[in-house]
Amino acid sequence: MANFEEKTLESKMIYKGKVIQLELEQVELPDGKQSTRELVRHPGAVAVIATTEEGKIILVEQYRKALEKSIVEIPAGKMEKGEDPKQTAWRELYEETGYQAGSLELLTSFYTSPGFADEIIYIYEASELKKGEQQLDDDEFVTNLELSFEECEQLVKEERIHDAKTAYALMYLKLKTV
Amino acid sequence: MANFEEKTLESKMIYKGKVIQLELEQVELPDGKQSTRELVRHPGAVAVIATTEEGKIILVEQYRKALEKSIVEIPAGKMEKGEDPKQTAWRELYEETGYQAGSLELLTSFYTSPGFADEIIYIYEASELKKGEQQLDDDEFVTNLELSFEECEQLVKEERIHDAKTAYALMYLKLKTV
């Protein structure tokens, strides 16, 4: 298989934030020419698809500043330094919804946007849920929803569910049952 | 439904590149407190799932600097200014693989990473293909592959197919046939 490796000639940190970093890399292309790559570094994230005993899917609605609107997603969050993705999954489900998962199974993972970012998302399926209280971060405002699969599909049609991890996790569940 | 709108108090452009822009926005939260949002602006992208007359799926392998490895994806690219997504789909399939699509149908779209980016990807299904010659950009090095659905699934297992748009498009095709 081809490789086409791009060798880094120079790397420049443009911005180091609390969520992402932006780096510019001057690279040597396979033909010897040069180009610049704009690279967003992200710590990676975890998303959790959890179904209640009543067969409802647990969702969160929150305002996404990047989109300037509220969308409906499965619970998710970025990994803290040194945190195992499974720990993140347990923590984020608990913080955003109050549910404590008795069991967490890794379904899949994917890179969200490999053209410019290294972000990877691990998707876990949670079961054996115990309901407690939401524990949100200071800058987090989240409403919980519990919807049937059919109601979720309706939100996909209306584009109120419109993000990669949520749509992907719902399709994954559907493929398990067909 | 909740809204939790975050009002922009101040916006600062950190970086304006050829692919992305990075902005920092100081926002007012629903409780009146303030926070900073790191926002990546992206022009949006299009991906194309195309099946040949022989039933093979057309893929491209390319080096992704953000991941420091080569991965296998469906043909895709970002929208040029003012370009209709369907035009982008036709153009990117042609440039990266040489195939000219007689028909293009929008399957779905999704935000790749709404926590920090506004990037949306439109996924088209291409059919009535006519084979021509690859027309790559100067800094693009891409190998074409034509694989059966089962071979694609194997690449997903090996994590050589590991990006949101490609995995999602493959699942979409699978759900059409089950």
Side-chain angles (χ1 to χ4, degrees):
Chain A
M1 285 284 197
N3 186 306
F4 296 141
E5 188 173 341
E6 298 176 356
K7 207 179 135 199
T8 302
L9 302 173
E10 210 189 314
S11 182
K12 192 175 156 191
M13 178 73 72
I14 301 294
Y15 177 77
K16 218 172 167 156
K18 58 179 182 168
V19 180
I20 56 171
Q21 294 180 11
L22 176 63
E23 281 178 52
L24 284 193
E25 296 209 345
Q26 189 67 16
V27 300
E28 187 182 301
L29 300 172
D31 64 0
K33 289 183 189 159
Q34 294 191 14
S35 188
T36 307
R37 300 293 180 208
E38 301 160 4
L39 305 174
V40 171
R41 310 288 185 197
H42 186 282
V46 165
V48 184
I49 185 142
T51 311
T52 65
E53 270 181 37
E54 296 76 31
K56 303 275 190 174
I57 290 163
I58 300 169
L59 298 158
V60 295
E61 179 168 19
Q62 62 191 309
Y63 193 79
R64 291 303 201 174
K65 189 63 188 169
L67 312 182
E68 292 290 9
K69 64 181 176 188
S70 288
I71 59 169
V72 176
E73 301 168 53
I74 54 175
K78 63 177 197 295
M79 288 188 270
E80 304 294 339
K81 214 179 159 144
E83 197 178 37
D84 180 81
K86 199 170 176 171
Q87 268 181 283
T88 313
W90 196 92
R91 183 177 54 74
E92 288 290 345
L93 179 66
Y94 177 54
E95 288 176 2
E96 295 191 350
T97 72
Y99 278 106
Q100 296 178 45
S103 166
L104 280 166
E105 188 200 341
L106 180 64
L107 288 185
T108 186
S109 67
F110 58 80
Y111 291 106
T112 53
S113 206
F116 69 90
D118 66 355
E119 183 192 25
I120 189 166
I121 296 186
Y122 298 94
I123 298 184
Y124 282 84
E125 185 170 17
S127 53
E128 300 167 31
L129 304 176
K130 235 182 11 193
K131 180 71 179 159
E133 290 296 320
Q134 245 188 2
Q135 313 280 333
L136 296 175
D137 290 341
D138 277 353
D139 64 349
E140 241 180 354
F141 295 84
V142 163
T143 309
N144 290 166
L145 291 87
E146 296 187 6
L147 300 178
S148 68
F149 197 88
E150 293 67 34
E151 288 169 320
C152 289
E153 286 189 313
Q154 186 56 35
L155 288 186
V156 171
K157 272 186 205 150
E158 293 169 10
E159 301 192 342
R160 302 243 335 275
I161 287 180
H162 203 186
D163 71 308
K165 64 183 178 304
T166 306
Y168 194 84
L170 288 170
M171 285 182 101
Y172 218 96
L173 269 202
K174 188 162 182 167
L175 276 173
K176 270 178 107 173
T177 56
V178 288
Chain B
M1 286 284 197
N3 186 305
F4 296 142
E5 186 173 342
E6 298 176 355
K7 207 180 134 197
T8 302
L9 302 173
E10 210 190 315
S11 181
K12 193 176 156 190
M13 178 72 73
I14 301 294
Y15 178 77
K16 220 173 166 156
K18 57 179 182 167
V19 180
I20 55 171
Q21 293 180 13
L22 176 62
E23 281 177 52
L24 284 195
E25 295 209 348
Q26 189 67 15
V27 298
E28 186 181 302
L29 300 173
D31 64 0
K33 288 184 190 159
Q34 294 190 16
S35 188
T36 307
R37 301 292 180 209
E38 301 160 4
L39 304 174
V40 171
R41 310 287 183 196
H42 186 283
V46 165
V48 184
I49 185 141
T51 311
T52 65
E53 269 181 39
E54 296 76 31
K56 303 275 189 173
I57 290 163
I58 300 170
L59 299 157
V60 295
E61 179 169 20
Q62 62 191 308
Y63 193 78
R64 290 302 200 176
K65 188 63 188 168
L67 313 181
E68 293 290 8
K69 65 181 177 188
S70 287
I71 59 170
V72 176
E73 301 168 54
I74 53 175
K78 64 178 195 296
M79 286 188 271
E80 303 296 338
K81 214 181 158 140
E83 196 178 38
D84 179 82
K86 198 169 178 173
Q87 268 181 285
T88 313
W90 195 92
R91 183 178 53 75
E92 287 292 344
L93 179 66
Y94 177 54
E95 288 175 4
E96 293 191 352
T97 72
Y99 277 105
Q100 296 179 44
S103 166
L104 280 166
E105 188 200 342
L106 180 63
L107 288 184
T108 186
S109 67
F110 58 81
Y111 291 106
T112 53
S113 204
F116 69 88
D118 66 354
E119 183 191 27
I120 190 167
I121 297 187
Y122 297 94
I123 298 184
Y124 282 84
E125 184 170 16
S127 54
E128 301 168 31
L129 305 175
K130 234 182 13 192
K131 182 72 178 157
E133 289 296 319
Q134 244 187 2
Q135 313 279 336
L136 295 175
D137 289 342
D138 276 355
D139 64 349
E140 241 180 353
F141 295 83
V142 163
T143 310
N144 291 165
L145 292 86
E146 297 187 6
L147 300 178
S148 69
F149 197 88
E150 293 67 34
E151 288 168 318
C152 289
E153 285 188 313
Q154 186 56 35
L155 288 186
V156 171
K157 273 186 204 148
E158 293 169 11
E159 301 192 342
R160 302 242 335 274
I161 287 179
H162 202 187
D163 70 309
K165 64 182 178 301
T166 306
Y168 194 84
L170 288 170
M171 285 181 102
Y172 219 95
L173 269 201
K174 188 162 183 167
L175 275 173
K176 271 179 106 172
T177 56
V178 287

